[in-house]
Amino acid sequence: MNVSRNLLASLKLIKSHYPCGYRLFLIRNNQTSHATTSEEGTTHFGFQTVKESEKEQKVHKVFEDVAKSYDIMNDAMSMGIHRVWKDIFIERLGPQHGTRHLDMAGGTGDISFRFLKYLQGQPNPKGLKSHVTVSDINQHMLDVGEERAKKLGLTEEKLSNMTIEWKVADAEKLPFEDNSYNSYTIAFGIRNCTHVDQVLREAYRVLQPGGRFMCLEFSHLNSQTMQWLYDQYSFNVIPPMGQILAGQWQPYQYLVESIRKFPKQEDFKEMIQEAGFDLVRYENLTFGVVSIHSGFKL
């Protein structure tokens, strides 16, 4: 109930300052809700229908614009809960020494830093060497991540038996060899890809037999009441907040729209299975605001 009261209070505040923004969700939500249209070569960019060739450029521009303020906005949008979600995500992965890990859409390094710190807290009597590749399609996001790594002391010069590299790459066309990683994570990134099925196939390809795929992504709530409250907060609080804190409205409007276009938990589970993964399951966090999907290449 405290969550509901906080959301309603935030809505009232934003509505008083941005009355037009309050109506935007209702207007946008009346537009087409299909993930892709029947016309070949088109897809969704939030609630807009665009050519497939345009989506990558538009998404790239979104994250180029928000790169420097991305972590601040994550804290503001989720009231800091995103940190807990990411901690749980890494705990579920349970990294082990000797692992080669690919952190796709790793951008500012949040998942990779947790991966490395988790290993630092585990005994390594055999001195096994671990490696993480932080990969993102946007160089601006990686630049922010590398700077953060230096400040946190998580660089190769200061890491023991661990290496980290930063690599620009498209999740749909990975430049890595088959069977080259033990684990693959993608957090809050897969919904921004044009062909999610191709991303999953590429993840399967680069994982070694026995390797694990894990995805942390915004999802859909089971409760209609909670989903309504969440929608109101997402569409009427987050874009104005982006304008106030980061000077950006449209990128955050896109981000909340993209969440609504992403498949529901069971549908995404089926997509992961269709890509070849076994033992696929998911876990909802915070009533289903986000979910963790997991699968193995067996």
Side-chain angles (χ1 to χ4, degrees):
M1 292 305 293
N2 288 333
V3 173
S4 300
R5 292 195 192 98
N6 290 337
L7 291 177
L8 289 173
S10 298
L11 284 170
K12 290 179 181 178
L13 177 62
I14 294 297
K15 184 179 179 182
S16 66
H17 287 83
Y18 296 93
C20 293
Y22 184 77
R23 296 190 295 271
L24 189 56
F25 166 64
L26 295 177
I27 296 171
R28 295 282 186 114
N29 203 40
N30 284 331
Q31 297 179 9
T32 177
S33 61
H34 297 292
T36 56
T37 67
S38 58
E39 181 181 345
E40 183 179 358
T42 62
T43 186
H44 63 83
F45 176 75
F47 287 163
Q48 300 176 42
T49 298
V50 299
K51 294 180 179 179
E52 289 184 349
S53 59
E54 294 177 354
K55 179 170 181 176
E56 182 176 320
Q57 298 173 3
K58 287 179 175 290
V59 170
H60 189 279
K61 183 65 165 59
V62 164
F63 286 96
E64 183 178 276
D65 289 343
V66 304
K68 292 183 178 180
S69 60
Y70 186 72
D71 293 312
I72 295 174
M73 280 302 300
N74 277 344
D75 279 329
M77 289 189 302
S78 70
M79 303 176 191
I81 301 175
H82 78 100
R83 297 173 182 269
V84 178
W85 295 334
K86 291 169 182 174
D87 288 342
I88 294 172
F89 186 54
I90 288 298
E91 287 175 5
R92 297 295 186 267
L93 177 63
Q96 297 181 353
H97 290 289
T99 296
R100 282 186 54 81
H101 178 71
L102 175 58
D103 177 18
M104 197 61 222
T108 57
D110 263 6
I111 300 302
S112 290
F113 299 157
R114 283 170 168 79
F115 179 91
L116 294 171
K117 289 178 179 178
Y118 187 97
L119 287 179
Q120 287 179 328
Q122 305 298 314
N124 186 18
K126 295 183 179 180
L128 298 176
K129 297 186 181 299
S130 303
H131 172 81
V132 59
T133 299
V134 190
S135 187
D136 200 289
I137 199 170
N138 194 299
Q139 182 64 56
H140 289 78
M141 297 288 283
L142 291 172
D143 290 342
V144 172
E146 287 196 75
E147 284 301 313
R148 291 184 65 208
K150 292 175 183 177
K151 292 178 181 178
L152 293 170
L154 295 173
T155 58
E156 291 195 11
E157 296 79 12
K158 297 183 178 181
L159 290 169
S160 176
N161 293 318
M162 288 180 275
T163 56
I164 181 171
E165 68 170 329
W166 304 81
K167 180 80 172 178
V168 173
D170 183 346
E172 297 183 17
K173 301 184 290 287
L174 294 176
F176 310 118
E177 297 290 332
D178 295 358
N179 308 316
S180 52
Y181 290 95
N182 305 110
S183 56
Y184 173 117
T185 56
I186 183 165
F188 304 121
I190 199 167
R191 74 179 190 282
N192 299 308
C193 300
T194 304
H195 305 100
V196 174
D197 55 346
Q198 179 60 22
V199 174
L200 294 171
R201 286 195 293 270
E202 279 291 273
Y204 187 87
R205 179 183 66 79
V206 301
L207 280 171
Q208 297 176 4
R212 189 177 188 183
F213 166 86
M214 288 188 66
C215 175
L216 175 66
E217 189 55 87
F218 287 108
S219 200
H220 303 267
L221 285 73
N222 294 325
S223 166
Q224 291 185 354
T225 301
M226 291 300 296
Q227 182 68 55
W228 182 85
L229 287 169
Y230 180 43
D231 284 343
Q232 305 312 303
Y233 175 77
S234 297
F235 286 91
N236 302 306
V237 175
I238 291 177
M241 192 183 296
Q243 183 67 45
I244 294 168
L245 297 180
Q248 300 280 348
W249 180 300
Q250 288 302 323
Y252 292 97
Q253 183 69 39
Y254 158 73
L255 290 175
V256 296
E257 290 179 358
S258 67
I259 294 169
R260 299 309 177 275
K261 303 296 292 184
F262 195 69
K264 292 185 177 181
Q265 289 91 320
E266 282 291 334
D267 295 331
F268 187 45
K269 176 183 176 182
E270 290 182 8
M271 293 180 70
I272 297 170
Q273 291 172 325
E274 289 171 0
F277 290 99
D278 291 299
L279 304 177
V280 180
R281 61 181 297 273
Y282 65 86
E283 174 186 0
N284 287 329
L285 304 179
T286 315
F287 308 108
V289 172
V290 300
S291 64
I292 296 173
H293 280 74
S294 170
F296 291 85
K297 178 178 178 177
L298 300 179

